[in-house]
Amino acid sequence: MSDNYKRLLPAPMPPGSAQANAPESSFPETGPPVKKRTVSKAACNNCRLKKIRCDGKRPSCTACSKANVDCNFVTASSDETPFMALKREVESLKKSTEDMLEIFDLLESTPDAVSLHILRRLKSTRNPPEGANDPSDVLASVKKELEDELLLPVKLSNRQLIISLIPETQQSLEHELMMRCPTAYPMLIPVETLFINLADLLRPVILEHPRASSFMGHGDASSSLTVASDPGESSSRGGITPVVSEATDNGLGNFEPLQSMHTIIDDRLRDVNFQTWTSVPITNELAATLISLYLEIDHPGCPLFDADLFLNDCVQGKTHFCSSLLVNALLAWSCQSYSNLQLDATALVVAFEAEAERLWHIEKYTNTLTAAAAAQFLNSTSSSRGRDEFANQCLDEGIQMGKRMGLFGVGSENASALTWLDHHQDWLRAACHTSWGIFSCACIRSLHLHRAEIEKPPLLPMPGEYFETHGYSGYAFPPGRTLVPTRVGEIFKAICTLNLIVHDIIWAYFGESDVVPATRATVEFAEQIYQRLFDWAVGLPLELSRGRRNRHSTLMLHLYYHCTVMELFWPFLQSSGDRVIRVDQVIATTATAKDIHKSSVNQLKRLALMYCIDFNKTCSSILWHIALLYLANAMLCKTTQPGNLRDPECWFYFMLCMTGYENMYGSFRVAEITILGLLSMALRNRFLSTSEANTVLIDMRRIGTRYDGQSPVRGSFMVDLELAMTNPREAHVQTLASAFHELAIFREFTTGELR
């Protein structure tokens, strides 16, 4: 018989037979004994894939060991079958789903601060050394923390929600300010996070894929605008801002914060041939779009020239109120400020700045209104690009030019520009705009430079006052469709009045002396100045009151006001923050410096949130930079208080400021050292972890690739505003940015982080 077949053994004998009782040794050998096969309850993944026999040895089966490959099993142990492993996995997923649903219920029902804390704990699961490894661990930890909380996570009814909006006490200063001055201190309804995507707000918009330009054709206008098209109808406007139809309450999507995002806002810009004013190759369409953006975003709050006179001269080729220097300086600033909105403008910034700088060296001794205004644009462009030395030189020369012309800094009307203007209507209009525009720029700049520039305010009338007091209200302006207020509106009058108060703060705290502000400031001075600030806020017209759908210039006005209040009381926070501040019309006897400062911080937080929602891609105003700086400092100062080191609300608003600066970095290189300075402060206070700082650095360097090969950035402003009250040198942006680099080198050497 062939050996390929298995040998057959004899059949077993029936019980009791002689053969059955015979000893085993009496049977002949029929062959070697058959080896019993080892049976495994579950094969490894490799053997199952190759469909070969697996002995199930652990940690590696024989086949995988011979093949020198990794051996993995779906089962947890050798005693577990695949069905048992599947059942275990289903139970685990079920438990994980139940935990996530419970976490979701907590996020929905707990207060905002607790919800933010839970979100941060969930995000930390991606970084095991700093947080829990599993959502179940997060849930268990949060439950344990909530056991001792008085405010248990419950879902509020409508009645409970309404009650929660009522202040806890009507004796607080903040409540009284809200009641007595709602235009500047409106009631702050708690933010409903269900309607705000926090993740989107903390993601730099500039890192998103660029979208197509939102500008329509030159002949198209936004559907939300109502403007007169008949020339006879336009001529009767008298410079009043055209009617803008309000969005309905059916949805916020109807609200368009910037009209110039959709249309050229003055028809005269279509008729300008910009090649007659500049040698830089730029299309008329792009130049008109950039100036249109400037006239809506920056011009209303700080007009350095009369828009109507400037546009008329641009079209007609006259050089009374327009010049090549002014056009090139304006386009340099506009190309830089609005490059996030117009990507084609990015490559033109250096060319326009170089051309304006060349013309400035020629005209800086000519004493003209256009040259004085151009010096401010050149200073803003160069300083925001990190060319601090030339920016300061240009600023000093421009201010000296204004003083020689009598625009400001003179002690009597005989030495002012009124002597050579001789009440000429157009020239007086232009001089009023330029003098008060430069003065306003200087006050805003001094607020974060901590340096006084103009000693005496202008003696010329504020723009618009002269015509109101001398009966020129019927002055006719050229016909044509325009969305630019040809006469100064209430917004700039309010800013000019506010800047007179800011001017006194600047010279009291940062005037010609080496004494630090903390030593100069007195409670009596703060009481007097805050009384003036409070009276100014109470007297604001209704059209400038706070609202959900404020225009850009109105929002900037309120940001500026609360930053000013914070600057006024910053010297008292460390030593005499509990001193009582007495203000007429405010009867609270416990109104301390800290209370007033905190009230403005809370208003600034809400304003910043509104700005990020409505103007996220247009973060280009210098006032927005100041607001971010003051809010970030306020959050860092709060974390130094006991129990607030990792406060989730402070963390959110600080990261909101960092995201705002990252968006600004796409246009302004100086944002780089500002970010580094703030990160240095946050790491010094142990407010941010190294992984959080690394995230900001990675995003910043992705944005900064557009600046590769350019010279280092320099700045001359303060970043640590609290330290600046006692030690300005250590609070300087360059000092803090250098400290961050030293810290980064140390941590890279020791931990490999912050690279």
Side-chain angles (χ1 to χ4, degrees), residues 549-591:
R549 293 165 179 168
N550 285 138
R551 294 296 172 188
H552 186 274
S553 54
T554 305
L555 208 56
M556 290 295 100
L557 174 68
H558 288 278
L559 285 169
Y560 187 30
Y561 171 78
H562 289 291
C563 288
T564 302
V565 174
M566 292 170 63
E567 184 67 39
L568 174 64
F569 290 103
W570 224 302
F572 305 100
L573 296 185
Q574 293 181 343
S575 57
S576 54
D578 295 326
R579 290 284 300 272
V580 175
I581 304 295
R582 303 190 181 277
V583 181
D584 293 344
Q585 305 177 30
V586 178
I587 60 176
T589 57
T590 57

CSV table of all heavy atoms in Angstrom, one decimal, residues 549-591:
chain,number,residue,atom,x,y,z
A,549,ARG,N,-24.8,96.2,15.3
A,549,ARG,CA,-24.5,96.4,13.9
A,549,ARG,C,-23.8,97.8,13.7
A,549,ARG,O,-24.2,98.5,12.8
A,549,ARG,CB,-25.8,96.3,13.1
A,549,ARG,CG,-26.4,94.9,13.0
A,549,ARG,CD,-27.8,94.9,12.5
A,549,ARG,NE,-28.3,93.5,12.5
A,549,ARG,CZ,-29.5,93.2,12.3
A,549,ARG,NH1,-30.4,94.1,12.2
A,549,ARG,NH2,-29.9,91.9,12.3
A,550,ASN,N,-22.9,98.1,14.5
A,550,ASN,CA,-22.1,99.3,14.4
A,550,ASN,C,-21.2,99.3,13.2
A,550,ASN,O,-20.7,98.2,12.8
A,550,ASN,CB,-21.3,99.6,15.7
A,550,ASN,CG,-22.1,100.0,16.8
A,550,ASN,OD1,-21.9,99.6,18.0
A,550,ASN,ND2,-23.1,100.9,16.6
A,551,ARG,N,-21.0,100.4,12.6
A,551,ARG,CA,-20.0,100.5,11.6
A,551,ARG,C,-18.6,100.5,12.2
A,551,ARG,O,-18.4,100.6,13.4
A,551,ARG,CB,-20.2,101.9,10.8
A,551,ARG,CG,-21.5,101.9,10.0
A,551,ARG,CD,-21.6,100.9,8.9
A,551,ARG,NE,-22.9,100.8,8.3
A,551,ARG,CZ,-23.2,99.8,7.4
A,551,ARG,NH1,-22.3,98.9,7.1
A,551,ARG,NH2,-24.4,99.8,6.9
A,552,HIS,N,-17.6,100.3,11.3
A,552,HIS,CA,-16.2,100.1,11.7
A,552,HIS,C,-15.8,101.3,12.5
A,552,HIS,O,-15.2,101.2,13.6
A,552,HIS,CB,-15.4,100.0,10.5
A,552,HIS,CG,-13.9,99.7,10.8
A,552,HIS,ND1,-13.0,100.7,11.0
A,552,HIS,CD2,-13.3,98.5,10.9
A,552,HIS,CE1,-11.8,100.1,11.3
A,552,HIS,NE2,-12.0,98.8,11.2
A,553,SER,N,-16.1,102.5,12.1
A,553,SER,CA,-15.6,103.7,12.8
A,553,SER,C,-16.2,103.9,14.2
A,553,SER,O,-15.5,104.3,15.1
A,553,SER,CB,-15.9,105.0,12.0
A,553,SER,OG,-17.3,105.1,11.6
A,554,THR,N,-17.5,103.5,14.3
A,554,THR,CA,-18.1,103.6,15.6
A,554,THR,C,-17.5,102.6,16.6
A,554,THR,O,-17.3,102.9,17.8
A,554,THR,CB,-19.6,103.4,15.5
A,554,THR,OG1,-20.2,104.3,14.5
A,554,THR,CG2,-20.4,103.5,16.8
A,555,LEU,N,-17.3,101.4,16.1
A,555,LEU,CA,-16.7,100.4,17.0
A,555,LEU,C,-15.3,100.8,17.4
A,555,LEU,O,-14.9,100.6,18.6
A,555,LEU,CB,-16.6,99.0,16.2
A,555,LEU,CG,-16.6,97.8,17.1
A,555,LEU,CD1,-17.8,97.7,18.0
A,555,LEU,CD2,-16.6,96.5,16.2
A,556,MET,N,-14.5,101.4,16.5
A,556,MET,CA,-13.2,101.9,16.8
A,556,MET,C,-13.2,103.0,17.9
A,556,MET,O,-12.4,103.1,18.8
A,556,MET,CB,-12.5,102.5,15.6
A,556,MET,CG,-12.1,101.4,14.6
A,556,MET,SD,-10.8,100.3,15.2
A,556,MET,CE,-11.8,98.9,15.6
A,557,LEU,N,-14.3,103.9,17.8
A,557,LEU,CA,-14.4,104.9,18.8
A,557,LEU,C,-14.6,104.3,20.2
A,557,LEU,O,-13.9,104.8,21.2
A,557,LEU,CB,-15.6,105.8,18.5
A,557,LEU,CG,-16.0,106.9,19.5
A,557,LEU,CD1,-14.9,108.0,19.5
A,557,LEU,CD2,-17.4,107.5,19.1
A,558,HIS,N,-15.4,103.3,20.4
A,558,HIS,CA,-15.6,102.7,21.7
A,558,HIS,C,-14.4,101.9,22.2
A,558,HIS,O,-14.1,101.9,23.4
A,558,HIS,CB,-16.9,101.9,21.7
A,558,HIS,CG,-18.1,102.7,21.6
A,558,HIS,ND1,-18.7,103.2,22.7
A,558,HIS,CD2,-18.9,103.0,20.5
A,558,HIS,CE1,-19.8,103.9,22.3
A,558,HIS,NE2,-20.0,103.8,21.0
A,559,LEU,N,-13.7,101.3,21.2
A,559,LEU,CA,-12.5,100.6,21.6
A,559,LEU,C,-11.5,101.6,22.2
A,559,LEU,O,-10.8,101.4,23.2
A,559,LEU,CB,-11.9,99.9,20.4
A,559,LEU,CG,-12.5,98.6,19.9
A,559,LEU,CD1,-12.0,98.2,18.6
A,559,LEU,CD2,-12.3,97.5,20.9
A,560,TYR,N,-11.4,102.7,21.5
A,560,TYR,CA,-10.4,103.8,21.9
A,560,TYR,C,-10.8,104.3,23.3
A,560,TYR,O,-9.9,104.6,24.1
A,560,TYR,CB,-10.4,104.9,20.8
A,560,TYR,CG,-9.4,106.0,21.0
A,560,TYR,CD1,-8.1,105.7,21.6
A,560,TYR,CD2,-9.6,107.3,20.6
A,560,TYR,CE1,-7.2,106.7,21.8
A,560,TYR,CE2,-8.7,108.2,20.7
A,560,TYR,CZ,-7.5,108.0,21.3
A,560,TYR,OH,-6.5,109.0,21.4
A,561,TYR,N,-12.1,104.6,23.5
A,561,TYR,CA,-12.5,105.1,24.8
A,561,TYR,C,-12.1,104.2,26.0
A,561,TYR,O,-11.5,104.7,27.0
A,561,TYR,CB,-14.0,105.4,24.8
A,561,TYR,CG,-14.6,105.7,26.1
A,561,TYR,CD1,-14.4,107.0,26.6
A,561,TYR,CD2,-15.2,104.8,26.9
A,561,TYR,CE1,-15.0,107.3,27.9
A,561,TYR,CE2,-15.8,105.1,28.1
A,561,TYR,CZ,-15.6,106.4,28.6
A,561,TYR,OH,-16.1,106.7,29.9
A,562,HIS,N,-12.4,102.9,25.9
A,562,HIS,CA,-12.1,102.0,27.0
A,562,HIS,C,-10.6,101.8,27.2
A,562,HIS,O,-10.2,101.5,28.3
A,562,HIS,CB,-12.9,100.7,26.8
A,562,HIS,CG,-14.4,100.9,27.0
A,562,HIS,ND1,-15.0,101.1,28.2
A,562,HIS,CD2,-15.4,100.8,26.1
A,562,HIS,CE1,-16.3,101.3,28.1
A,562,HIS,NE2,-16.6,101.1,26.8
A,563,CYS,N,-9.9,101.8,26.1
A,563,CYS,CA,-8.4,101.7,26.2
A,563,CYS,C,-7.9,102.9,27.0
A,563,CYS,O,-7.0,102.8,27.8
A,563,CYS,CB,-7.8,101.6,24.8
A,563,CYS,SG,-8.0,100.0,24.0
A,564,THR,N,-8.5,104.1,26.7
A,564,THR,CA,-8.1,105.3,27.4
A,564,THR,C,-8.4,105.2,28.9
A,564,THR,O,-7.5,105.6,29.7
A,564,THR,CB,-8.8,106.5,26.8
A,564,THR,OG1,-8.5,106.6,25.4
A,564,THR,CG2,-8.3,107.8,27.5
A,565,VAL,N,-9.5,104.7,29.3
A,565,VAL,CA,-9.9,104.5,30.7
A,565,VAL,C,-8.9,103.6,31.3
A,565,VAL,O,-8.4,103.8,32.5
A,565,VAL,CB,-11.3,104.0,30.8
A,565,VAL,CG1,-11.7,103.7,32.3
A,565,VAL,CG2,-12.3,105.1,30.3
A,566,MET,N,-8.6,102.5,30.7
A,566,MET,CA,-7.6,101.5,31.2
A,566,MET,C,-6.3,102.1,31.4
A,566,MET,O,-5.6,101.9,32.5
A,566,MET,CB,-7.6,100.3,30.3
A,566,MET,CG,-8.8,99.5,30.3
A,566,MET,SD,-8.8,98.2,29.0
A,566,MET,CE,-7.4,97.2,29.6
A,567,GLU,N,-5.8,102.9,30.5
A,567,GLU,CA,-4.5,103.6,30.6
A,567,GLU,C,-4.5,104.6,31.8
A,567,GLU,O,-3.5,104.7,32.5
A,567,GLU,CB,-4.2,104.3,29.3
A,567,GLU,CG,-2.8,105.0,29.3
A,567,GLU,CD,-1.7,104.0,29.3
A,567,GLU,OE1,-1.8,102.9,28.6
A,567,GLU,OE2,-0.7,104.2,29.9
A,568,LEU,N,-5.6,105.3,32.0
A,568,LEU,CA,-5.7,106.2,33.0
A,568,LEU,C,-5.5,105.6,34.4
A,568,LEU,O,-4.8,106.1,35.3
A,568,LEU,CB,-7.0,107.0,33.0
A,568,LEU,CG,-7.4,107.9,34.1
A,568,LEU,CD1,-6.4,109.1,34.1
A,568,LEU,CD2,-8.8,108.4,34.0
A,569,PHE,N,-6.1,104.4,34.6
A,569,PHE,CA,-6.0,103.8,35.9
A,569,PHE,C,-5.0,102.7,36.1
A,569,PHE,O,-4.8,102.1,37.1
A,569,PHE,CB,-7.4,103.2,36.3
A,569,PHE,CG,-8.4,104.2,36.5
A,569,PHE,CD1,-9.4,104.5,35.6
A,569,PHE,CD2,-8.5,104.9,37.7
A,569,PHE,CE1,-10.3,105.5,35.8
A,569,PHE,CE2,-9.4,105.9,37.9
A,569,PHE,CZ,-10.4,106.2,37.0
A,570,TRP,N,-4.2,102.4,35.0
A,570,TRP,CA,-3.2,101.4,35.1
A,570,TRP,C,-2.1,101.7,36.2
A,570,TRP,O,-1.7,100.8,36.9
A,570,TRP,CB,-2.5,101.1,33.8
A,570,TRP,CG,-2.4,99.7,33.5
A,570,TRP,CD1,-1.7,98.8,34.3
A,570,TRP,CD2,-3.0,98.9,32.4
A,570,TRP,NE1,-1.8,97.5,33.7
A,570,TRP,CE2,-2.6,97.6,32.6
A,570,TRP,CE3,-3.8,99.2,31.3
A,570,TRP,CZ2,-3.0,96.6,31.7
A,570,TRP,CZ3,-4.2,98.2,30.5
A,570,TRP,CH2,-3.8,96.9,30.7
A,571,PRO,N,-1.7,102.9,36.4
A,571,PRO,CA,-0.7,103.2,37.4
A,571,PRO,C,-1.1,102.8,38.8
A,571,PRO,O,-0.3,102.7,39.7
A,571,PRO,CB,-0.3,104.7,37.3
A,571,PRO,CG,-0.8,105.0,35.9
A,571,PRO,CD,-1.9,104.1,35.6
A,572,PHE,N,-2.4,102.7,39.1
A,572,PHE,CA,-2.9,102.5,40.4
A,572,PHE,C,-3.2,101.1,40.8
A,572,PHE,O,-3.6,100.8,41.9
A,572,PHE,CB,-4.2,103.3,40.6
A,572,PHE,CG,-4.1,104.8,40.3
A,572,PHE,CD1,-4.5,105.3,39.1
A,572,PHE,CD2,-3.5,105.7,41.2
A,572,PHE,CE1,-4.4,106.6,38.8
A,572,PHE,CE2,-3.4,107.0,40.9
A,572,PHE,CZ,-3.8,107.5,39.7
A,573,LEU,N,-3.1,100.2,39.8
A,573,LEU,CA,-3.6,98.8,40.0
A,573,LEU,C,-2.7,98.1,41.0
A,573,LEU,O,-3.1,97.2,41.8
A,573,LEU,CB,-3.6,98.0,38.7
A,573,LEU,CG,-4.6,98.5,37.7
A,573,LEU,CD1,-4.7,97.6,36.5
A,573,LEU,CD2,-6.0,98.7,38.3
A,574,GLN,N,-1.4,98.4,41.0
A,574,GLN,CA,-0.5,97.7,41.9
A,574,GLN,C,-0.5,98.2,43.3
A,574,GLN,O,-0.5,97.4,44.3
A,574,GLN,CB,1.0,97.7,41.4
A,574,GLN,CG,1.1,97.0,40.1
A,574,GLN,CD,2.6,97.1,39.5
A,574,GLN,OE1,3.3,97.9,40.0
A,574,GLN,NE2,2.9,96.2,38.6
A,575,SER,N,-0.5,99.5,43.5
A,575,SER,CA,-0.3,100.1,44.8
A,575,SER,C,-1.6,100.6,45.5
A,575,SER,O,-1.9,100.3,46.6
A,575,SER,CB,0.7,101.2,44.8
A,575,SER,OG,0.3,102.2,43.9
A,576,SER,N,-2.3,101.4,44.7
A,576,SER,CA,-3.5,102.1,45.3
A,576,SER,C,-4.8,101.8,44.5
A,576,SER,O,-5.6,102.6,44.2
A,576,SER,CB,-3.3,103.6,45.3
A,576,SER,OG,-2.9,104.1,44.0
A,577,GLY,N,-4.9,100.5,44.0
A,577,GLY,CA,-6.1,100.1,43.3
A,577,GLY,C,-7.4,100.2,44.0
A,577,GLY,O,-8.5,100.3,43.5
A,578,ASP,N,-7.3,100.1,45.4
A,578,ASP,CA,-8.5,100.2,46.2
A,578,ASP,C,-8.9,101.6,46.7
A,578,ASP,O,-9.9,101.7,47.4
A,578,ASP,CB,-8.3,99.3,47.5
A,578,ASP,CG,-8.1,97.8,47.1
A,578,ASP,OD1,-8.7,97.4,46.2
A,578,ASP,OD2,-7.3,97.1,47.8
A,579,ARG,N,-8.1,102.6,46.2
A,579,ARG,CA,-8.5,104.0,46.5
A,579,ARG,C,-9.8,104.3,45.8
A,579,ARG,O,-10.1,104.0,44.7
A,579,ARG,CB,-7.4,104.9,46.0
A,579,ARG,CG,-6.1,104.8,46.8
A,579,ARG,CD,-6.3,105.5,48.1
A,579,ARG,NE,-6.6,107.0,48.0
A,579,ARG,CZ,-5.7,107.9,47.8
A,579,ARG,NH1,-4.4,107.6,47.8
A,579,ARG,NH2,-6.1,109.2,47.7
A,580,VAL,N,-10.7,105.0,46.6
A,580,VAL,CA,-12.0,105.4,46.1
A,580,VAL,C,-11.9,106.6,45.1
A,580,VAL,O,-11.2,107.5,45.3
A,580,VAL,CB,-12.9,105.8,47.2
A,580,VAL,CG1,-14.3,106.3,46.7
A,580,VAL,CG2,-13.2,104.6,48.1
A,581,ILE,N,-12.6,106.4,43.9
A,581,ILE,CA,-12.6,107.5,42.9
A,581,ILE,C,-14.0,108.1,42.9
A,581,ILE,O,-15.0,107.4,42.7
A,581,ILE,CB,-12.3,106.9,41.5
A,581,ILE,CG1,-10.9,106.2,41.5
A,581,ILE,CG2,-12.3,108.0,40.4
A,581,ILE,CD1,-9.8,107.1,41.8
A,582,ARG,N,-14.1,109.4,43.1
A,582,ARG,CA,-15.3,110.1,43.2
A,582,ARG,C,-15.7,110.7,41.9
A,582,ARG,O,-14.8,111.5,41.3
A,582,ARG,CB,-15.3,111.1,44.3
A,582,ARG,CG,-15.0,110.5,45.7
A,582,ARG,CD,-15.2,111.5,46.8
A,582,ARG,NE,-14.9,110.9,48.1
A,582,ARG,CZ,-15.7,110.1,48.8
A,582,ARG,NH1,-16.9,109.8,48.3
A,582,ARG,NH2,-15.3,109.5,49.9
A,583,VAL,N,-16.9,110.4,41.3
A,583,VAL,CA,-17.3,111.0,40.1
A,583,VAL,C,-18.7,111.5,40.2
A,583,VAL,O,-19.6,110.8,40.8
A,583,VAL,CB,-17.3,109.9,39.0
A,583,VAL,CG1,-17.7,110.5,37.6
A,583,VAL,CG2,-15.9,109.3,38.8
A,584,ASP,N,-19.0,112.7,39.8
A,584,ASP,CA,-20.3,113.3,39.8
A,584,ASP,C,-21.2,112.4,39.0
A,584,ASP,O,-20.8,111.8,38.0
A,584,ASP,CB,-20.3,114.7,39.2
A,584,ASP,CG,-19.5,115.7,40.1
A,584,ASP,OD1,-19.3,115.3,41.3
A,584,ASP,OD2,-19.2,116.8,39.7
A,585,GLN,N,-22.5,112.3,39.4
A,585,GLN,CA,-23.5,111.5,38.8
A,585,GLN,C,-23.4,110.0,39.1
A,585,GLN,O,-24.2,109.2,38.7
A,585,GLN,CB,-23.6,111.7,37.3
A,585,GLN,CG,-23.8,113.2,36.9
A,585,GLN,CD,-23.8,113.3,35.4
A,585,GLN,OE1,-24.2,112.4,34.6
A,585,GLN,NE2,-23.3,114.5,34.9
A,586,VAL,N,-22.3,109.7,39.7
A,586,VAL,CA,-22.1,108.3,40.1
A,586,VAL,C,-22.1,108.2,41.7
A,586,VAL,O,-21.1,108.8,42.3
A,586,VAL,CB,-20.8,107.7,39.6
A,586,VAL,CG1,-20.6,106.2,40.0
A,586,VAL,CG2,-20.9,107.7,38.1
A,587,ILE,N,-23.1,107.6,42.3
A,587,ILE,CA,-23.2,107.8,43.7
A,587,ILE,C,-22.6,106.6,44.5
A,587,ILE,O,-22.7,106.5,45.7
A,587,ILE,CB,-24.7,107.9,44.1
A,587,ILE,CG1,-25.5,106.7,43.6
A,587,ILE,CG2,-25.3,109.1,43.5
A,587,ILE,CD1,-27.0,106.7,44.0
A,588,ALA,N,-22.1,105.6,43.8
A,588,ALA,CA,-21.6,104.4,44.5
A,588,ALA,C,-20.3,104.8,45.3
A,588,ALA,O,-19.4,105.4,44.7
A,588,ALA,CB,-21.2,103.3,43.5
A,589,THR,N,-20.4,104.6,46.5
A,589,THR,CA,-19.2,105.0,47.4
A,589,THR,C,-18.1,104.1,47.3
A,589,THR,O,-17.0,104.4,47.8
A,589,THR,CB,-19.7,105.1,48.9
A,589,THR,OG1,-20.2,103.8,49.2
A,589,THR,CG2,-20.8,106.1,49.0
A,590,THR,N,-18.2,102.9,46.7
A,590,THR,CA,-17.1,101.9,46.6
A,590,THR,C,-16.5,101.9,45.2
A,590,THR,O,-16.1,100.9,44.7
A,590,THR,CB,-17.7,100.6,46.9
A,590,THR,OG1,-18.8,100.2,46.1
A,590,THR,CG2,-18.1,100.5,48.4
A,591,ALA,N,-16.6,103.0,44.5
A,591,ALA,CA,-16.0,103.1,43.1
A,591,ALA,C,-14.5,103.2,43.2
A,591,ALA,O,-14.0,104.3,43.4
A,591,ALA,CB,-16.7,104.2,42.3
